[in-house]
Amino acid sequence: FQRSLIGDYTQTLRQLKKWQSTLDFYEQTALKQTQFLAESAQKAFQAGEIGYLEYAQALNRNLMIQSQYLEALL
């Protein structure tokens, strides 16, 4: 029983480290990049450099990454 419990504990620790690493990536890198990309897309759209479709695609990518972050957080 003790070996089984230690095995479960070890596996749970590995999963925790994996999820923490994923959250760190989103919080330190991905979310900052999505904010920058959304702001850049908005400026480019307002300046007429990109069309509505490109602007909507950029916002959609932004929302997808934020959604993935929230799923990882959950």
Side-chain angles (χ1 to χ4, degrees):
F1 175 76
Q2 187 176 9
R3 275 188 246 157
S4 175
L5 189 60
I6 290 172
D8 290 346
Y9 177 76
T10 303
Q11 183 178 0
T12 302
L13 279 180
R14 276 192 223 121
Q15 288 176 334
L16 176 64
K17 288 178 184 181
K18 175 187 164 199
W19 285 112
Q20 187 61 53
S21 174
T22 300
L23 288 176
D24 289 344
F25 166 74
Y26 279 110
E27 291 171 352
Q28 295 173 6
T29 305
L31 292 177
K32 292 176 185 176
Q33 288 177 352
T34 59
Q35 182 178 358
F36 173 76
L37 291 173
E39 291 171 0
S40 297
Q42 183 176 3
K43 289 177 185 177
F45 178 68
Q46 289 174 341
E49 297 171 358
I50 62 173
Y52 180 75
L53 180 59
E54 291 87 1
Y55 177 60
Q57 288 173 337
L59 293 180
N60 186 44
R61 281 192 302 272
N62 184 4
L63 290 175
M64 286 177 51
I65 292 171
Q66 289 180 9
S67 175
Q68 291 169 347
Y69 166 69
L70 291 175
E71 286 180 25
L73 189 58
L74 179 63

